Amino acid sequence: MKQYYHVLGAKQFEKDELERLFDAAREMEGIVARGGDRRHEGRIMTTLFFEASTRTRLSFESAMHRLGGNVIGTENAAQFSSAIKGETLEDTIRIISGYSDIIVMRHTEIGAAKRAAQVATVPVINAGDGAGEHPTQALLDAYTIRKEFGKIDGLKIAMVGDLAYGRTVHSLSYILANYQDVMVYYISPDNVRIPDNVKKYMDEKGIRYAETNDLDSVAGSIDVLYQTRIQKERFPSVEEYEKASGQFIVDADLMSRMNKDAIVLHPLPRAGEITEEVDSDPRAAYFRQAVNGLYIRMALIDKSITESQGK
Amino acid sequence: MKQYYHVLGAKQFEKDELERLFDAAREMEGIVARGGDRRHEGRIMTTLFFEASTRTRLSFESAMHRLGGNVIGTENAAQFSSAIKGETLEDTIRIISGYSDIIVMRHTEIGAAKRAAQVATVPVINAGDGAGEHPTQALLDAYTIRKEFGKIDGLKIAMVGDLAYGRTVHSLSYILANYQDVMVYYISPDNVRIPDNVKKYMDEKGIRYAETNDLDSVAGSIDVLYQTRIQKERFPSVEEYEKASGQFIVDADLMSRMNKDAIVLHPLPRAGEITEEVDSDPRAAYFRQAVNGLYIRMALIDKSITESQGK
Amino acid sequence: MKQYYHVLGAKQFEKDELERLFDAAREMEGIVARGGDRRHEGRIMTTLFFEASTRTRLSFESAMHRLGGNVIGTENAAQFSSAIKGETLEDTIRIISGYSDIIVMRHTEIGAAKRAAQVATVPVINAGDGAGEHPTQALLDAYTIRKEFGKIDGLKIAMVGDLAYGRTVHSLSYILANYQDVMVYYISPDNVRIPDNVKKYMDEKGIRYAETNDLDSVAGSIDVLYQTRIQKERFPSVEEYEKASGQFIVDADLMSRMNKDAIVLHPLPRAGEITEEVDSDPRAAYFRQAVNGLYIRMALIDKSITESQGK
């Protein structure tokens, strides 16, 4: 039976593969600088977004075009007429497999990408499945860290914000668990702390971590501050939300207390949790991080199509 | 005056043309297996869907890309800002003609594709016009039958489900009417029987058919069971819907009473009218049928562009 | 610092540049007639439409494909998930810049395109910013006039309809202000007259104009009748709307009183303000005008990418 190279979750990646992927992404930077290439000319990617995520979709579509390929797709679950008529995800994937060479999928349900991969006859890339995983985001985050520092081993990384529902920090934790002497700080309001299953995974992999709700005390000693959004709807009242989120804002004052070689990351979009005055600080790496998403996705698409050819 | 090769309805096809089309579709299978070709490089297809039909749209767009062409389009009538501002379909088509080399159109009104063709300066393919026709679906259905059996002449074909509102079975009837010694069984609940105008057409063409609401008695003697959805909203109550639709479910039990060389087709999406246990039966041809849509649409796009060139 | 060739408003264009642009558009007509070319193969355009404008979007996308480029995009502000989450336009543009080589943008707010251009690292083309400007429409209008008459100098041009909110007539006025001996008639209901800032601009440029609400008295002496829609919602009651709009309908009767060499333009879509009987009159130039949008947009995209290369 034909095997496909799917990208379903961050746990599937081990260190060797990560390093090869990061090397491939670095190569993609050169390819984009030279105007892209045509290696996947004639290939078709379907972007199947059951929930809108415009920027993630555009990033994948740009990646496919930079490799010479074509894109078909849909962004609106409400428009996906077959689903409305009661079609199962499995039936949809079986049929879409016949129209394209790779499927990039966003869904609202945990595990949807895995279910898709079980019936697909082309590779599937998970672009986010509900509160589950968002592996390509975690890969681009890790790639950014490695690019900025030349390594991941030995770094101190603080993840800040809503650590309970923010799937990005879960996926990133699983990636970081492959590296040596990493120290992770989970910094969040008490009601949105990092889940036990993530901590258990880190324990099993022997990764050091600490939990706190005090960003200030940690800021001076870390290499990477990974900021995320805190969503109002997780809090019982607007007052409690504002009290909680107000403690975790990255502004010029906080930056003044951070190391001169530290960097600030954010999966974006941001609302107010990083103030605009920070943008001009060279340690503000979040826009550089966003562009890295293009290179990582190019590397993943290239690998998925290449290793699954001959269907 | 310039003539265009439009695909507007199933009645426009005669046997010679059907056979040539099926040969062309067969050739397209080889082209897709070899990764597509570039014969329509630089050509542009507009998919103008005034009502969402994601999968039909993706099938056409994949077909155009496999031929090397480009696609622009829209899927949402509610978004079609010009229509909202009161523009006639004719004005829209006149202008869109200037942007592309072929228009694939889905509309909510019977006859819309024909109206479009009257003013278009490029070929128009009807991808469904309300309760009217859906000729490319019927063509892929007939192509599937021909491919599975090596012929259409002499086959016994049962169409099952909502035969009143299901435009697919109307269009397929018109295609089958070109063949010899075909026998068609129309099997439906009493309130959604095949319309008189379809029966009249079959009479004129000398095609034998029978109407019944008893699937079981016919199952053992047919070559093709063409299953369709029955929509709840056609019935006065949920009880009557469930009673009616329950009699027409294709499950393992029904399959056990069918011929060993028979096949089951369905235009998809299915809700519960074919149970999942049937999927692994080699006679379940509906996923093979779905892929055939790609080849037929490639053949139609190719013919439309080629025979209308020089605009 | 890298400079980009943005298209933000009609005032940025002076006569020399307009003439070069019109020459380039004329060249594009030949390229389209020969099936397009591949000069921007591998380049990516993002169409970022925060408000739906299907036809403008399709026109730009067709233009990019005719030049060999690729397109990614979104048409629905309501779907633009980052904006919903509170992202600023500036952040969106910074990131989208990394995915593409040119951004074509439609927005609901005046000045949005200019704000985008301030942070973009690729060229930005304004495809309409609220009640602000729509420069590519004005350029295609002016190109049509020049093509139909061989010149713009010395022509008498009437703009008819809602001149207060119709941004097209503002942008077109700014373009016409570059030419010699032009006479502009602003013909509108009293409650939607041409704004003072437009008249002030025309005064500064020494362009003659007159205001009136009497189309009939002017019809016989003009070269160009530029008709626009009058929107119901500008009027206090349906009665007043119908009374006002009824005076400005272009029908066969009005055409009979116009010069034999005059032309009728309309940015389209039209509702009832030009009757269909006029379509067959050779002086009805509005469908020719619509196709000209393709050539002008090709010329602008080509210029923007070419003059901003090497980012």
Side-chain angles (χ1 to χ4, degrees), chain A:
Chain A
M1 200 177 138
K2 188 84 184 65
Q3 293 292 314
Y4 304 100
Y5 180 80
H6 303 298
V7 179
L8 302 179
K11 289 179 188 168
Q12 80 183 58
F13 293 93
E14 300 194 351
K15 189 165 181 177
D16 278 3
E17 189 177 357
L18 288 170
E19 292 298 310
R20 281 196 302 275
L21 180 68
F22 296 157
D23 288 346
R26 176 68 71 147
E27 195 190 319
M28 293 300 170
E29 298 200 22
I31 287 169
V32 171
R34 292 188 298 274
D37 72 13
R38 314 296 304 158
R39 71 178 67 180
H40 294 305
E41 187 163 18
R43 296 278 161 189
I44 300 173
M45 181 174 86
T46 301
T47 46
L48 201 57
F49 277 50
F50 288 87
E51 127 186 300
S53 177
T54 311
R55 220 165 48 198
T56 298
R57 180 175 62 78
L58 294 180
S59 170
F60 273 107
E61 295 185 0
S62 178
M64 185 60 172
H65 285 306
R66 291 295 188 211
L67 295 167
N70 296 308
V71 177
I72 60 176
T74 188
E75 187 176 44
N76 199 330
Q79 278 180 22
F80 202 87
S81 39
S82 297
I84 292 167
K85 290 173 188 161
E87 183 170 75
T88 63
L89 175 63
E90 283 79 1
D91 272 15
T92 300
I93 295 293
R94 279 184 190 104
I95 294 161
I96 297 296
S97 290
Y99 300 161
S100 50
D101 301 296
I102 183 168
I103 295 172
V104 175
M105 185 178 135
R106 176 96 158 203
H107 205 277
T108 54
E109 290 170 26
I110 296 180
K114 190 168 286 182
R115 285 169 52 206
Q118 278 160 358
V119 299
T121 57
V122 296
V124 173
I125 296 182
N126 180 7
D129 55 345
E133 286 221 45
H134 192 0
T136 66
Q137 177 68 47
L139 291 167
L140 79 89
D141 295 339
Y143 176 59
T144 303
I145 295 171
R146 190 177 175 289
K147 205 167 119 183
E148 297 277 335
F149 290 95
K151 63 168 189 176
I152 296 178
D153 292 335
L155 295 179
K156 295 192 182 72
I157 297 160
M159 301 187 193
V160 182
D162 174 356
L163 306 184
Y165 299 95
R167 62 189 166 195
T168 297
V169 296
H170 307 168
S171 292
L172 179 56
S173 295
Y174 304 147
I175 298 288
L176 294 178
N178 288 288
Y179 289 86
Q180 305 299 311
D181 294 323
V182 167
M183 172 72 201
V184 180
Y185 297 93
Y186 293 117
I187 305 173
S188 70
D190 288 338
N191 64 329
V192 285
R193 289 169 63 173
I194 193 82
D196 287 343
N197 64 324
V198 177
K199 290 192 285 185
K200 185 158 170 287
Y201 188 88
M202 300 304 260
D203 285 335
E204 286 167 9
K205 297 282 177 175
I207 304 296
R208 289 177 303 149
Y209 63 84
E211 281 189 275
T212 173
N213 60 10
D214 182 4
L215 173 57
D216 282 348
S217 70
V218 173
S221 63
I222 54 177
D223 300 298
V224 178
L225 192 165
Y226 190 95
Q227 175 70 301
T228 66
R229 290 190 311 130
I230 295 180
Q231 293 182 286
K232 265 197 197 101
E233 48 274 34
R234 307 296 180 204
F235 290 81
S237 71
V238 172
E239 291 71 35
E240 291 189 57
Y241 159 73
E242 285 175 354
K243 189 178 151 216
S245 64
Q247 297 170 47
F248 300 102
I249 290 174
V250 177
D251 54 15
D253 179 55
L254 188 84
M255 294 302 285
S256 73
R257 277 172 288 135
M258 286 181 64
N259 286 335
K260 71 174 183 7
D261 296 329
I263 61 170
V264 177
L265 299 180
H266 192 301
L268 303 177
R270 63 174 163 176
E273 64 273 7
I274 299 178
T275 60
E276 293 194 9
E277 61 190 351
V278 177
D279 294 1
S280 56
D281 189 310
R283 296 172 294 177
Y286 33 89
F287 291 124
R288 300 195 291 274
Q289 176 190 7
V291 178
N292 287 335
L294 179 67
Y295 309 128
I296 279 287
R297 285 168 183 138
M298 286 175 73
L300 289 167
I301 291 168
D302 184 50
K303 186 174 167 68
S304 289
I305 292 179
T306 306
E307 300 197 0
S308 309
Q309 255 172 3
K311 83 164 175 179

Side-chain angles (χ1 to χ4, degrees), chain C residues 142-163:
Chain C
Y143 177 58
T144 303
I145 295 171
R146 191 177 173 289
K147 206 167 118 183
E148 298 276 336
F149 290 94
K151 63 168 188 175
I152 296 178
D153 292 335
L155 295 180
K156 294 191 182 73
I157 297 161
M159 302 187 193
V160 183
D162 174 356
L163 306 184

Side-chain angles (χ1 to χ4, degrees), chain B residues 31-190:
Chain B
I31 287 169
V32 171
R34 292 188 298 275
D37 71 13
R38 314 295 305 157
R39 72 178 67 180
H40 294 305
E41 188 163 16
R43 296 277 161 190
I44 300 173
M45 180 173 88
T46 301
T47 46
L48 200 58
F49 277 50
F50 289 87
E51 124 186 303
S53 177
T54 310
R55 219 163 49 196
T56 298
R57 180 175 61 79
L58 293 180
S59 171
F60 273 108
E61 295 185 0
S62 178
M64 185 59 172
H65 285 305
R66 291 295 188 211
L67 295 167
N70 296 308
V71 177
I72 60 177
T74 189
E75 186 176 43
N76 199 332
Q79 278 180 22
F80 202 86
S81 38
S82 297
I84 292 168
K85 291 173 187 160
E87 184 171 76
T88 63
L89 175 63
E90 282 79 1
D91 271 14
T92 299
I93 295 293
R94 280 183 189 105
I95 293 162
I96 297 296
S97 290
Y99 299 161
S100 51
D101 301 296
I102 183 168
I103 294 172
V104 175
M105 185 178 135
R106 175 95 160 205
H107 205 279
T108 54
E109 290 169 26
I110 296 179
K114 190 168 287 183
R115 284 169 53 206
Q118 278 160 358
V119 298
T121 56
V122 296
V124 173
I125 297 183
N126 180 6
D129 56 344
E133 285 222 45
H134 191 0
T136 66
Q137 177 68 48
L139 290 166
L140 78 89
D141 296 339
Y143 176 59
T144 302
I145 295 171
R146 192 177 174 289
K147 204 167 120 182
E148 298 277 335
F149 290 94
K151 62 167 188 178
I152 296 178
D153 292 335
L155 295 180
K156 294 191 182 71
I157 296 160
M159 301 186 193
V160 183
D162 174 356
L163 306 183
Y165 300 95
R167 62 188 166 194
T168 298
V169 297
H170 307 167
S171 292
L172 180 56
S173 295
Y174 303 147
I175 297 289
L176 295 177
N178 287 287
Y179 288 86
Q180 305 298 313
D181 294 322
V182 167
M183 172 73 200
V184 180
Y185 296 92
Y186 293 116
I187 306 173
S188 70
D190 288 339

Side-chain angles (χ1 to χ4, degrees), chain C residues 227-295:
Chain C
Q227 174 70 303
T228 67
R229 291 190 310 130
I230 295 179
Q231 293 182 285
K232 264 195 198 105
E233 48 273 36
R234 307 295 181 207
F235 289 80
S237 71
V238 173
E239 291 71 35
E240 292 188 56
Y241 160 72
E242 286 176 353
K243 189 178 153 216
S245 64
Q247 298 170 48
F248 300 103
I249 289 173
V250 177
D251 55 15
D253 179 57
L254 187 85
M255 294 301 286
S256 72
R257 277 171 288 136
M258 285 181 64
N259 288 335
K260 72 173 181 9
D261 296 327
I263 61 170
V264 177
L265 299 180
H266 192 299
L268 302 178
R270 63 174 162 177
E273 65 272 6
I274 300 178
T275 60
E276 293 194 9
E277 63 191 349
V278 176
D279 294 1
S280 57
D281 190 310
R283 295 173 295 176
Y286 32 89
F287 292 124
R288 300 195 292 273
Q289 175 191 8
V291 179
N292 287 335
L294 179 67
Y295 309 129

Side-chain angles (χ1 to χ4, degrees), chain C residues 83-104:
Chain C
I84 292 167
K85 291 173 187 160
E87 184 170 75
T88 63
L89 175 63
E90 282 79 2
D91 272 14
T92 300
I93 295 294
R94 280 185 188 103
I95 293 161
I96 297 296
S97 290
Y99 300 161
S100 51
D101 302 296
I102 183 168
I103 294 172
V104 175

Side-chain angles (χ1 to χ4, degrees), chain A residues 41-42, chain B residues 23-32 34-44 63-70 101 295 297-307 309, chain C residues 35 38:
Chain A
E41 187 163 18
Chain B
D23 288 346
R26 176 68 71 150
E27 194 190 320
M28 293 299 169
E29 299 201 23
I31 287 169
V32 171
R34 292 188 298 275
D37 71 13
R38 314 295 305 157
R39 72 178 67 180
H40 294 305
E41 188 163 16
R43 296 277 161 190
I44 300 173
M64 185 59 172
H65 285 305
R66 291 295 188 211
L67 295 167
N70 296 308
D101 301 296
Y295 310 128
R297 285 167 182 138
M298 286 175 72
L300 289 167
I301 291 168
D302 184 51
K303 186 174 165 70
S304 289
I305 292 179
T306 306
E307 301 198 359
Q309 256 172 4
Chain C
R38 315 295 305 157

